[in-house]
Amino acid sequence: MTIFKRMWQSVQDIVRKADLKLLGLCMVCTAFGLVLIASATNYLGPDTQLKRVLIQAAGAVIGIGAYFIFSNIDVEHFSEKWVLFLLFNIGFIALLRTPLGISAYGNRSWLGVRGFPLNVQPAEIVRLTFTVLLARQIGWFRDNRNMKGLLSLLLPAAHAGFMFLWIYVLSRDAGSGLMYLVIYAGMALAAGLAWYWFAIGFTGLGVGIGLLALFEKLPTYWVERFRVLFDHSYDPLGRGYQQTRGLLALGSGGLFGQGLFRGIQTQGVIDGSLPARQTDFIFCVCGEELGFAGCLAIIVLEFFLVYRCFQTARLAKSSMDALICVGFGTMLVFQTVENIGMCLFVMPVIGLTLPFFSYGGSSIVALYAAMGMVSGVRSRTLPDWLRKT
């Protein structure tokens, strides 16, 4: 009886140290997402629909376990083994070029084993360890050097730039790689990097892209993805097809939508129906079936998730802990804005899903793990006597 009592006490300690408000927000988003995924996959038949929902639910359960684990781990201590983390980041992405790599939608972004229902997207997992390492790196510069110096810009930027190129070269998935640069930008800004470096960087990037486009050195599909944003009539059955259908679905929902499992495009089985409805365009599913009210609910939930991350950053006891929260908060902001903007036909399609709502087993696990790290930072802001009880 004593053993069970001790086990129960350990479980209570683990739960007490976690940020249950943040976990509750994550679980509400997941439950909402499961309903939308069930509706979005209804047209595939009951067997496939059930399979997709169960995979997402299983990913959420694993993710909740990861949430509690990371809530009770001091990642700042583990980051001292930064060389091993860096080797893991490089090696795990490199597995995409082994027989385990799976190609789909023009990218080689997944790892899978024949017969196993869940594929893994390495860029999603590595994003966690990358954020921790980058937070350690920028945090050191913030505490020991002047963030206005050139070195404090170049080394972290080179780290993020290398990971972007490594992912793109091996997988051709520019969207996943771009998240690494965005996380760096958010952390650098929060750490106090001088504004003029951002001005110089964005100006140089704009000029570089313009020159590449002028001399036709950019991939054709990149140029076309941006062209359709400025001319919605350009290639509506090709590059603009997904966003054209998505915008039509959103617009047809009105204030309260057509009703769950009743959306014309969401439930359609013909070629003209909404594409990628359970992944990239899950927001359009919500818009069509639950209307503006449903979309507003998603935006509000994502806002409170981001707010909790940034609020925790303000309470953090170290620069590294604060930057971890900022990094993951920035990740949520960019993914949400990009995904919703893509559905509204004002942002390019780069394959970024809506956090906690879109279908994706490895994605949901990684998101819960990331929020678990934020929860861990919050637990370390508590008084020592409370953290030891």
Side-chain angles (χ1 to χ4, degrees), residues 19 307-319 321-323 325-326 374 376-382:
D19 183 352
Y307 175 78
R308 196 69 175 175
C309 289
F310 289 146
Q311 183 189 52
T312 302
R314 291 176 61 88
L315 300 174
K317 287 190 171 182
S318 72
S319 296
D321 277 351
L323 290 171
C325 297
V326 169
V374 174
V377 170
R378 197 174 190 90
S379 73
R380 292 192 291 278
T381 66
L382 299 175

Side-chain angles (χ1 to χ4, degrees), residues 74-82 85 132-133 136 320:
D74 187 347
V75 292
E76 188 169 356
H77 172 72
F78 278 90
S79 72
E80 294 175 3
K81 305 293 184 182
W82 64 270
F85 277 55
V132 172
L133 290 184
R136 177 183 175 87
M320 179 179 168

Side-chain angles (χ1 to χ4, degrees), residues 315-357:
L315 300 174
K317 287 190 171 182
S318 72
S319 296
M320 179 179 168
D321 277 351
L323 290 171
I324 286 173
C325 297
V326 169
F328 289 132
T330 302
M331 175 189 75
L332 291 178
V333 169
F334 183 75
Q335 270 195 251
T336 301
V337 171
E338 162 59 28
N339 181 270
I340 294 176
M342 177 182 70
C343 293
L344 293 173
F345 216 158
V346 295
M347 298 287 278
V349 176
I350 59 175
L352 292 182
T353 53
L354 189 60
F356 290 103
F357 289 90

